[in-house]
Amino acid sequence: AQKITQTQPGMFVQEKEAVTLDCTYDTSDQSYGLFWYKQPSSGEMIFLIYQGSYDEQNATEGRYSLNFQKARKSANLVISASQLGDSAMYFCAMRDRSNDYKLSFGAGTTVTVRA
Amino acid sequence: GAVVSQHPSRVICKSGTSVKIECRSLDFQATTMFWYRQFPKQSLMLMATSNEGSKATYEQGVEKDKFLINHASLTLSTLTVTSAHPEDSSFYICSAEAGDYLHNEQFFGPGTRLTVL
């Protein structure tokens, strides 16, 4: 069964605008971790933000924030004030005990920022 | 964050040859290293998990004899693609982590692009 679902294959966003990338997850564990990674065309995986299942506040890191809705099992990434350098593929990922704490990745969303 | 290097970054080889890819954690000791494979515009697929000094644990469908993993030290893991064929052409990425599992950030290497002719 798919553990991480990213339903948006590709998105376009205007420079300086905000964009929300959807991510839903599936787990029966109470304790789990959610991650977002950015992968530019160079291929490197860049860690953006982490949200623990017991964290009561939504995680934020600079222009990145995670909209964590536990009951809906969603962990959407919001990128504010988009920049041209934000053009990349974005992956949502989860670690939970049922998968031996290995990272399960979603299919990814390609974001293209337009000037 | 911590730095993980991979070498080589790009390799082109003839069908039937073996290729070794190195993954090093440069400024920390990695209890666990992971090897992923990624096809163009697709997600990362975990191939295997390796712990220093023990045999790698392969994911279902990954041929152990085809993809040999050696985790010789806490800072080095190698992936050898034996008798490579064109269908093995892919982007291979390693990652490393230290400490407890759930909250760990995995630190990724820059990847190795393998092309088999």
Side-chain angles (χ1 to χ4, degrees), chain A residues 31-33 35 37 39 41-45 47 50 52-53 89 91 95-96 99-103 105-108, chain B residues 34 36 38 41-46 49 57 59 91 93 97 100-111 113:
Chain A
S31 182
Y32 51 88
F35 301 77
Y37 286 88
Q39 187 180 40
S41 56
S42 59
E44 61 185 311
M45 293 288 284
F47 166 75
Y50 167 81
S53 58
M89 198 152 183
F91 292 99
R95 306 187 79 156
D96 64 354
N99 195 29
D100 293 328
Y101 299 107
K102 291 176 282 190
L103 268 177
F105 285 92
Chain B
F34 303 86
Y36 296 86
Q38 185 181 30
K41 300 199 183 301
Q42 292 189 23
S43 189
L44 279 71
M45 287 183 349
L46 180 65
T49 303
T57 303
E59 294 298 301
F91 191 57
I93 310 175
E97 67 178 21
D100 70 54
Y101 293 118
L102 189 62
H103 305 281
N104 266 4
E105 175 189 341
Q106 281 188 21
F107 299 99
F108 285 83
R113 195 163 301 280

Side-chain angles (χ1 to χ4, degrees), chain A residues 44-47, chain B residues 1-7 22-33 74-77 93-98 105-111:
Chain A
E44 61 185 311
M45 293 288 284
I46 302 168
F47 166 75
Chain B
V3 179
V4 174
S5 71
Q6 261 183 261
H7 179 80
E22 290 187 350
C23 176
R24 292 181 186 273
S25 57
L26 297 185
D27 51 3
F28 70 103
Q29 293 190 320
T31 51
T32 308
M33 287 184 168
L74 282 171
T75 59
L76 173 64
S77 176
I93 310 175
C94 73
S95 70
E97 67 178 21
E105 175 189 341
Q106 281 188 21
F107 299 99
F108 285 83

Side-chain angles (χ1 to χ4, degrees), chain A residues 42-98:
Chain A
S42 59
E44 61 185 311
M45 293 288 284
I46 302 168
F47 166 75
L48 296 178
I49 198 166
Y50 167 81
Q51 179 85 41
S53 58
Y54 292 119
D55 295 341
E56 294 188 353
Q57 304 233 339
N58 285 343
T60 60
E61 288 286 348
R63 293 186 299 111
Y64 304 106
S65 60
L66 199 150
N67 184 359
F68 181 45
Q69 297 189 40
K70 195 169 181 177
R72 296 180 59 189
K73 292 189 176 177
S74 78
N76 298 341
L77 176 72
V78 180
I79 306 173
S80 61
S82 297
Q83 302 171 356
L84 295 177
D86 294 334
S87 294
M89 198 152 183
Y90 289 80
F91 292 99
C92 180
M94 179 178 69
R95 306 187 79 156
D96 64 354
R97 189 182 64 173
S98 67

